[in-house]
Amino acid sequence: MTPEDHMLAGELALGLLEGNERAQALRRTLSDPDFAREVEGWRVRFASMLAEVRPVPAPPGLIRDIGAQTAPKPRNQLRLVLPAALSAVAAATLVLVLRPSPTVLPPVDRPAAATLLAALQPSDRTGTPISAIVDRDTGQIRVVATGIAPAGKAAQLWVIRDGVPRSLGLLAGNGTTRLSVPTTERTALQAGLVLAISIEPPGGSPKPTPTGPVVASGPLTPI
C-alpha cells in the first residue's frame, strides 16, 4: 500500500471522508482486504488512545450550546492536521514502549453479548440509518428498511470479517427482512464487525464479494 492509501484509511477511520470519496473508500474496504485491515487498524489505535483519556466534567453551559450552529471546518484543513496528529500518535506510542510497563491484571472473562445492533449509515450521509439486530442465540438477523434497491436490483447484506466481506443474504424490497445465520457462523458475529449493504443484480452478487455500490454501513455494538 502507498502512503496515500495509509492516509486514506486513517481519514476513513476518523470520519473525515464525505460524499463520493467516502463511498469509494467503503467499496474498497469490501474489495481490498489489505485496505480493510488498515482501516480497522487505525480504528483500534484511535480507540486505544481514547481509552487513556481521563474524563473531566463538562464546562457550564455546554449542554445548552450543543446543537448551536457552527462554521464547518474545511476538509483541506483537516487533511493538513491529520499527518501531524498521526505523528503525535507515533510519538506517544514510542514513549509508551520505552517507559516501564505497569503491572497488568489478567483480563476478566465476560460472556459475549447475545444481542448486537448496527445502525447502518447511508453512504451519502442523507436519510435515516438502517437498523439491523443480530440475535446470536437464535442466529437471526432482523433488518428494517424500505426501498433500498431501485427497480430491477437487489439489496444484499454483508459482514466484513478479517478484511473480507461475507454475504449474509438478500434484503426484502419493503418492510422487515429476517435472515438465518448458520450455527457455525453465529459465534463469528462479534461486536466491532461492520455490516454493509450493497446494490446487486437480481439474485445477488455473482461473485463472493460485492459488485455494486455500497449504500450503507455500520459497526455491530452490544445492547
Side-chain angles (χ1 to χ4, degrees):
M1 293 179 62
T2 67
E4 289 76 14
D5 292 333
H6 293 291
M7 183 69 68
L8 181 65
E11 290 179 319
L12 181 60
L14 281 175
L16 301 182
L17 302 180
E18 296 179 351
N20 289 335
E21 198 168 15
R22 182 173 184 271
Q24 291 174 4
L26 287 172
R27 283 196 294 270
R28 185 172 176 185
T29 62
L30 295 174
S31 61
D32 186 343
D34 291 336
F35 183 74
R37 280 190 286 268
E38 182 70 15
V39 173
E40 186 61 24
W42 278 119
R43 286 175 177 158
V44 171
R45 287 192 285 273
F46 290 136
S48 64
M49 290 177 59
L50 290 176
E52 296 184 2
V53 176
R54 182 177 302 173
V56 296
L62 177 62
I63 301 300
R64 182 187 65 248
D65 295 337
I66 290 178
Q69 293 287 340
T70 57
K73 183 176 291 188
R75 187 164 170 272
N76 287 339
Q77 211 171 356
L78 292 172
R79 281 185 177 273
L80 295 176
V81 171
L82 183 60
L86 299 183
S87 298
V89 172
T93 303
L94 181 60
V95 171
L96 291 174
V97 170
L98 293 179
R99 75 183 182 187
S101 300
T103 302
V104 179
L105 297 176
V108 178
D109 291 333
R110 294 183 176 86
T115 306
L116 304 172
L117 171 68
L120 282 67
Q121 299 289 339
S123 299
D124 58 6
R125 300 297 182 94
T126 63
T128 304
I130 300 168
S131 63
I133 300 176
V134 177
D135 187 331
R136 285 160 44 91
D137 289 340
T138 62
Q140 295 290 316
I141 301 178
R142 189 167 72 253
V143 181
V144 182
T146 301
I148 303 175
K153 296 289 185 178
Q156 190 164 355
L157 183 66
W158 306 81
V159 61
I160 304 174
R161 188 168 70 247
D162 298 328
V164 179
R166 293 172 170 82
S167 176
L168 294 174
L170 298 179
L171 303 180
N174 293 292
T176 301
T177 301
R178 288 177 172 83
L179 301 172
S180 296
V181 180
T183 304
T184 55
E185 292 290 327
R186 293 178 190 177
T187 57
L189 290 173
Q190 302 285 347
L193 296 181
V194 173
L195 297 185
I197 298 175
S198 68
I199 303 301
E200 303 294 341
S205 173
K207 298 181 179 180
T209 57
T211 59
V214 176
V215 295
S217 64
L220 286 168
T221 58
I223 58 174

